[in-house]
Amino acid sequence: MFISLFFLPILFSFIAIQSYSQDKGKWVVPAEYKTMKNPVAVDASSVDLGKDLYAKYCKACHGKTGLGDGPKAASLGVSSGNFTTKEFKSQPDGVLFYMVTTGKDKMPGFGKPLPEDNDRWALVNYMKTLK
Ligand code: HEC
């Protein structure tokens, strides 16, 4: 009895810290993606493909121009980021490719709906053109 009363607050603060770090958690991107070379050239055909896929799969949350202001954004309860910033664009292509592939929390992973790597690289190429 004494022991459980003593440990209860510790247990609760542990749970609180856990859920806090999950909410605010950064993406954990495996090292191999950080140095992965984008195999798809940033040309008109890739960017156009990315644009079509973006309109179909991403725009509802991320918004027309990547500001995170799509019609579904408000119901997410978390920011989906801003694709037009320097910070966003400075991330390696492989990191963005990983994020699109696996997703995290409210962000769905697109490895299954878009199994062709070429499609997800096209999305990366398109996102980097957003202004
Ligand atoms: C259901 C809403 C939703 C859809 C649809 C969605 N996303 Fe996201 N996305 C999010 C949320 C929410 C986050 C933030 C996740 C986090 O940090 O926990 C996010 C984060 C991201 C990030 C990381 C942003 C950053 O600042 O580093 C990228 C890249 C991304 N999404 C790309 C896409 C692409 C590409 C598509 C379409 C193929 C897509 N998302 C579809 C909700 C969505």
Side-chain angles (χ1 to χ4, degrees):
M1 184 62 189
F2 171 74
I3 291 181
S4 58
L5 277 178
F6 181 74
F7 278 108
L8 222 52
I10 298 176
L11 183 70
F12 277 122
S13 47
F14 184 70
I15 292 169
I17 291 167
Q18 280 279 306
S19 52
Y20 178 79
S21 59
Q22 249 171 30
D23 279 354
K24 301 277 171 188
K26 284 197 166 255
W27 297 73
V28 181
V29 180
E32 67 206 88
Y33 286 90
K34 294 181 182 162
T35 51
M36 189 179 276
K37 206 176 168 304
N38 182 342
V40 181
V42 186
D43 57 17
S45 80
S46 175
V47 172
D48 282 353
L49 172 63
K51 188 178 181 175
D52 287 349
L53 293 170
Y54 183 88
K56 197 167 165 200
Y57 295 100
C58 322
K59 207 168 89 177
C61 293
H62 287 285
K64 193 163 180 245
T65 59
L67 295 175
D69 58 353
K72 268 177 108 172
S75 65
L76 293 172
V78 26
S79 161
S80 61
N82 179 346
F83 296 164
T84 67
T85 62
K86 242 200 312 200
E87 293 72 37
F88 176 79
K89 290 185 189 177
S90 67
Q91 300 182 90
D93 288 359
V95 168
L96 300 182
F97 182 75
Y98 177 80
M99 289 166 159
V100 177
T101 304
T102 62
K104 167 181 165 294
D105 301 331
K106 296 278 172 74
M107 160 73 194
F110 287 89
K112 283 213 177 108
L114 295 172
E116 297 285 340
D117 286 0
N118 186 56
D119 286 346
R120 282 173 284 116
W121 284 116
L123 282 161
V124 171
N125 288 344
Y126 175 66
M127 282 189 288
K128 288 225 167 162
T129 70
L130 289 167
K131 289 193 178 78

